[in-house]
């Protein structure tokens, strides 16, 4: 140490100034408008094209078919880069970016998140499939009947 008193000058100069940091987590921070946090999935909008799976650079997303027109998403948050490429590639906006970023876990299994389709989405898809089958049956019946 050539000049030990030099640091004292800097320390005394900063005594009266406002701190550059905040008291996180006691004080929450204001996130930027386009902050990329955890990805959320809306099963009601998903069409099962799997564009998000193909575009994910870390293979963190798996889309599973539950029923006709009903899909669930499995996210491996320990693999996700939070780049939002999947959100950009979804043609139906079934994926959104949430401001949630406090995702640390001690158990790695908790970082595998499954977004299940709601009962409402499953019922809606079942009704649509039934209507489609009824329409197809009516079409076949009309083609069989003589005119």
């Amino acid at each position: 140490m050539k000049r030990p008193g030099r640091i004292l000058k800097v320390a005394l100069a900063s005594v009266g100034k406002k701190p550059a940091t905040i008291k996180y987590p006691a004080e929450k921070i204001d996130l930027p408008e386009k902050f990329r946090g955890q990805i959320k999935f809306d099963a009601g909008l998903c069409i099962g094209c799997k564009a998000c799976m193909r575009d994910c650079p870390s293979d963190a997303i798996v889309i599973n078919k539950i029923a006709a027109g009903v899909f669930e998403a499995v996210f491996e948050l320990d693999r996700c880069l939070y780049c939002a490429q999947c959100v950009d590639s979804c043609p139906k906006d079934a994926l959104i970016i949430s401001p949630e970023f406090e995702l640390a876990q001690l158990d790695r299994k908790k970082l595998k998140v499954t977004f299940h389709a709601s009962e409402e989405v499953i019922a809606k898809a079942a009704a649509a499939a039934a209507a489609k089958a009824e329409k197809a049956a009516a079409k076949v019946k009309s083609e069989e009947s003589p005119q």
Side-chain angles (χ1 to χ4, degrees):
M1 272 189 153
K2 293 181 182 179
R3 296 178 62 192
R6 189 173 174 186
I7 191 72
L8 185 61
K9 182 180 177 183
V10 174
L12 290 174
S14 65
V15 168
K17 293 183 180 177
K18 184 179 173 186
T21 58
I22 64 165
K23 294 179 179 166
Y24 180 83
E27 295 178 19
K28 296 296 180 185
I29 60 173
D30 294 327
L31 298 172
E33 184 180 323
K34 296 201 176 198
F35 180 79
R36 295 182 300 202
Q38 183 181 6
I39 308 297
K40 300 288 184 176
F41 176 73
D42 184 353
L45 297 175
C46 183
I47 59 173
C49 67
K50 300 184 181 181
C52 54
M53 279 179 57
R54 287 190 301 273
D55 288 347
C56 182
S58 60
D59 295 327
I61 305 172
V62 176
I63 303 293
N64 298 319
K65 186 173 185 177
I66 303 301
V70 181
F71 303 91
E72 73 176 6
V74 179
F75 287 89
E76 294 185 43
L77 300 178
D78 56 337
R79 285 182 162 185
C80 186
L81 301 172
Y82 303 98
C83 65
Q85 183 62 43
C86 56
V87 175
D88 294 338
S89 65
C90 183
K92 295 294 182 178
D93 296 328
L95 297 171
I96 59 168
I97 303 170
S98 75
E100 187 178 342
F101 67 94
E102 297 169 326
L103 306 172
Q105 295 290 333
L106 294 175
D107 185 10
R108 191 172 186 177
K109 293 175 186 167
K110 291 181 181 177
L111 292 171
K112 190 171 188 176
V113 179
T114 303
F115 291 97
H116 299 286
S118 67
E119 295 297 325
E120 180 182 320
V121 171
I122 294 171
K124 194 176 191 180
K132 186 177 178 180
E134 191 175 295
K135 187 176 177 180
K139 183 178 178 182
V140 168
K141 188 175 181 182
S142 68
E143 289 176 355
E144 290 177 351
S145 63
Q147 293 196 18

